[in-house]
Amino acid sequence: MTSPIFAFFDPTYILVIVGLLLSMAASGYVNSTYAKYDRYRAQSGVTGTTAAEYILQQSGINNVSVHPIAGNLTDNYNGGNKTLNLSESTANSSSVAAVGVAAHECGHAVQDATNYAPMRLRTAIVPIANFGSSISFPLILVGVLMGMNQTLIHIGIFLFSFALLFQLVTLPVEFNASHRALRILSDGGLLTADEVPMVRRVLTAAALTYVAAALATFLQLLRLIILFGGNRDDN
Ligand SMILES: [Zn+2]
């Protein structure tokens, strides 16, 4: 009995809100965890930049350069132009949190250098995930406006599922980069035995943001399936 337009303001919208809250909670948690361990200076005295350069060199990676970038926790590894970009707070800080984040990005550089399969898969999915998430809602909307055109709506939902696939493939890439980082840091002597658990907490908190993002996308997909997934023709 619901009119098509009102279907966009229905109770399943709670799923979108839950996803949003999860993402906000994860983001708050990583910020507070980083801030907590940013107060502990690593005994080795290295900064994020020097730690990254040292790890890359120790890993036999000579074609990746380390650059400072603006922002807070904007650290990333760019496989396209082989740059490891560290936010100002990470690049110049000698805290265990900064060294941990720098090592995590080095973990991505090692994944790239060793052709780690989930990272390759993730890179391959990016274009279709971007296309899928930008086109899916317009398609669904057009399908609804065309009197619940099931074909358009189902194609829209199918394309949105690539956004979830991307988030899911991101998870092993992120957990593996952190796993590598912790091993490199403890083996390489950049962190002491009591500093390693602190870094593990920072990197686990960071990984939770990716889990929250995947959950939020799953809840959005679930909502679309609840709203439009059946072959109902009840408009
Ligand atoms: Zn990462």
Side-chain angles (χ1 to χ4, degrees):
M1 292 300 286
T2 49
S3 94
I5 288 302
F6 283 112
F8 285 89
F9 302 96
D10 76 317
T12 64
Y13 200 73
I14 192 84
L15 295 172
V16 176
I17 293 170
V18 169
L20 199 67
L21 291 175
L22 280 172
S23 298
M24 285 167 62
S27 160
Y29 182 61
V30 69
N31 281 322
S32 68
T33 309
Y34 188 94
K36 179 175 177 189
Y37 293 107
D38 203 27
R39 291 196 293 267
Y40 292 85
R41 196 171 182 278
Q43 282 182 40
S44 63
V46 292
T47 63
T49 300
T50 47
E53 283 166 348
Y54 175 81
I55 293 169
L56 290 174
Q57 189 207 335
Q58 289 297 304
S59 309
I61 298 173
N62 306 311
N63 61 342
V64 172
S65 52
V66 182
H67 298 277
I69 50 164
N72 182 32
L73 291 180
T74 46
D75 311 78
N76 68 85
Y77 169 70
N78 184 331
N81 60 11
K82 307 287 177 208
T83 56
L84 200 148
N85 307 296
L86 299 177
S87 61
E88 282 151 6
S89 47
T90 307
N92 304 318
S93 166
S94 297
S95 73
V96 292
V99 173
V101 168
H104 169 92
E105 299 309 332
C106 292
H108 287 309
V110 175
Q111 289 173 337
D112 191 18
T114 57
N115 278 313
Y116 177 63
M119 182 189 239
R120 287 284 162 269
L121 180 61
R122 182 178 182 273
T123 309
I125 292 173
V126 169
I128 188 154
N130 285 341
F131 173 75
S133 39
S134 58
I135 199 92
S136 60
F137 281 96
L139 264 185
I140 292 168
L141 183 62
V142 171
V144 168
L145 294 175
M146 282 174 65
M148 302 305 277
N149 181 306
Q150 292 296 318
T151 309
L152 283 182
I153 290 171
H154 287 172
I155 292 173
I157 294 176
F158 176 72
L159 287 173
F160 186 77
S161 68
F162 282 96
L164 177 61
L165 182 65
F166 172 77
Q167 306 271 16
L168 292 177
V169 173
T170 296
L171 298 179
V173 177
E174 292 303 326
F175 280 100
N176 177 266
S178 290
H179 180 73
R180 287 174 198 262
L182 286 164
R183 203 176 46 209
I184 292 167
L185 288 173
S186 46
D187 291 356
L190 287 180
L191 292 180
T192 65
D194 20 314
E195 289 167 345
V196 170
M198 301 182 190
V199 169
R200 182 175 290 118
R201 269 172 232 138
V202 172
L203 296 184
T204 302
L208 286 178
T209 62
Y210 293 97
V211 175
L215 275 171
T217 306
F218 168 74
L219 291 172
Q220 283 196 58
L221 181 63
L222 181 66
R223 170 176 183 249
L224 293 176
I225 292 170
I226 291 171
L227 282 178
F228 306 116
N231 283 310
R232 294 169 296 131
D233 193 11
D234 57 1
N235 58 314

